[in-house]
Amino acid sequence: MTAARVPGEVVVSGLAFPEGPRWHRDALYFSDVHSHQVLRWRAGTLEVVAHVPGRPSGLGFLDEETLLVSSQEDRRVHRVDLRTPGAPPVVHADLGRVATWHLNDLLTDARGRAYVGNYGDGAPPGEPIAPAALALVDVDGSVRAVADELFFPNGMALLDEGRTLVVAETRSEPGRLTAFDVSADGSLRGRRTLIAFTGQWPDGIAADRHGTLWVACPFDAEVLRVSADGRIVGRVAVPDPYAVAIGGDDGTDLFVATADTWVPEEAAVVRSGRILVFRGVAADAPR
């Protein structure tokens, strides 16, 4: 299956390293990690939502007006009140007793509970990495581990109206998407491999309204579309895709965060980061 050459439109450029895109109330929210900012793009306008000194990464929503941000270096999740422009982030949860290294992606469910991954340790790509635990932050800020032995738990998505959680294990061998059944209290059970890739390192993921997953594969220059039963059913060629979101007016647009380099010192200077949108690619159900 060759990658589809679907035209992509650059809607934001000049970023250091964009991450964690989320579509919410007619706007795209995302982190610019090495600029220490959370940004919002809406109708062609870009604005700063929050400054996070510990490097922002994953985003989610506690409720309609409260943004949650994972802060990588201090291993905390912060709250941002969207009703008060310029309000500083407030600590929502400290994950220091669960996360063994920097936090990365974050996903909230319909209740505002947040699943949060971390690197496991500081081993660079190409070297063995320690497995990590996946944390659940409840709405009151309490924290507990709900899965362990995950190799760089990264992008996440909920399927089946929140009954299934899928986690990208970026640095497992081979790279894979791991699925769990979600209990009423947010606990996870029934761990299984949804798909094991051949050579790809899955990074950020997102689910569309058809229950299929869009998987960013930065080292293969493509975004894969994966069915709920673990088949690759589509490909979109994109340079250096690290994270994705599904959104737009009708929920069929694919937003992709890209950058030429993820190395902090280089990224902050080069500022090659961009947000691309591929209009309507998620409109049709896969065959």
Side-chain angles (χ1 to χ4, degrees), residues 105-213:
D105 216 340
L106 177 156
L107 177 73
T108 47
D109 65 10
R111 301 182 186 183
R113 300 179 300 201
Y115 293 94
V116 188
N118 77 93
Y119 292 9
D121 68 17
E127 294 186 9
I129 193 169
L134 185 69
L136 176 65
V137 179
D138 217 323
V139 294
D140 62 358
S142 58
V143 179
R144 57 191 165 100
V146 289
D148 58 13
E149 296 295 312
L150 293 163
F151 287 90
F152 205 111
N154 207 338
M156 291 172 282
L158 286 163
L159 301 177
D160 307 322
E161 298 182 338
R163 293 188 293 270
T164 301
L165 177 73
V166 179
V167 182
E169 289 191 73
T170 299
R171 293 178 63 181
S172 62
E173 294 291 345
R176 63 190 172 220
L177 300 184
T178 298
F180 297 89
D181 298 322
V182 181
S183 301
D185 67 352
S187 298
L188 304 179
R189 54 186 173 80
R191 180 175 180 160
R192 58 202 179 272
T193 297
L194 180 65
I195 181 173
F197 296 102
T198 304
Q200 293 99 334
W201 282 19
D203 200 317
I205 68 176
D208 63 25
R209 64 189 182 189
H210 303 292
T212 56
L213 298 163

Side-chain angles (χ1 to χ4, degrees), residues 11-23:
V11 294
V12 183
S13 59
L15 304 167
F17 189 77
E19 260 286 14
R22 295 283 183 262
W23 184 263

Side-chain angles (χ1 to χ4, degrees), residues 14-16 18 258-261 267 269-274:
L15 304 167
T258 79
D260 292 350
T261 177
V269 174
V270 175
R271 302 193 71 84
S272 63
R274 302 184 299 171

Side-chain angles (χ1 to χ4, degrees), residues 51-75:
H51 295 270
V52 181
R55 298 190 191 275
S57 186
L59 304 179
F61 295 88
L62 180 65
D63 54 44
E64 286 294 298
E65 299 291 351
T66 309
L67 176 70
L68 295 182
V69 185
S70 65
S71 180
Q72 291 189 330
E73 294 176 349
D74 58 12
R75 306 180 200 181

Side-chain angles (χ1 to χ4, degrees), residues 3-11 28 41 214 216 221-223 235-258 274-283:
R5 296 289 173 178
V6 181
E9 174 190 349
V10 177
V11 294
L28 185 75
W41 177 84
W214 298 82
E222 63 182 359
V223 175
R235 301 174 187 261
V236 178
V238 189
D240 307 302
Y242 284 92
V244 292
I246 296 293
D249 293 341
D250 59 359
T252 66
D253 297 341
L254 171 68
F255 292 88
V256 185
T258 79
R274 302 184 299 171
I275 301 291
L276 283 69
V277 61
F278 295 81
R279 306 283 185 186
V281 297

